[in-house]
Amino acid sequence: HPTINMGRPPDTMFGENNPNSILTEQVVLQIRKLYQEGESQIGLSKTFGVHAPAIWKIVHGRTWRHLGV
């Protein structure tokens, strides 16, 4: 029912299922691991070809939260 999602895309649009997704779940998990090991967010953004704010959102669980933090 469309009103259940209140204008948001269906649950199938999360993560890799989102057609706008640049990263894969495997890469996101790798980013989180490397960050925990001390890699900088700027370094990760350059390595994986995404903007630094995207890395911040990944490592702080604001995006890709279905994978856990």
Side-chain angles (χ1 to χ4, degrees):
H1 192 272
T3 58
I4 293 173
N5 289 330
M6 297 191 297
R8 295 185 303 248
D11 290 344
T12 58
M13 299 296 284
F14 288 114
E16 292 180 44
N17 293 326
N18 185 324
N20 295 320
S21 176
I22 295 171
L23 304 172
T24 64
E25 291 181 357
Q26 182 179 0
V27 169
V28 168
L29 294 173
Q30 185 179 7
I31 288 170
R32 289 180 176 167
K33 180 178 180 238
L34 291 170
Y35 179 73
Q36 288 176 347
E37 293 174 355
E39 182 70 37
S40 72
Q41 292 179 28
I42 298 295
L44 290 168
S45 70
K46 290 178 182 177
T47 299
F48 293 99
V50 295
H51 295 285
I55 298 294
W56 186 93
K57 291 175 185 175
I58 289 168
V59 300
H60 290 95
R62 302 296 169 115
T63 55
W64 297 86
R65 59 182 93 153
H66 65 283
L67 298 179
V69 179

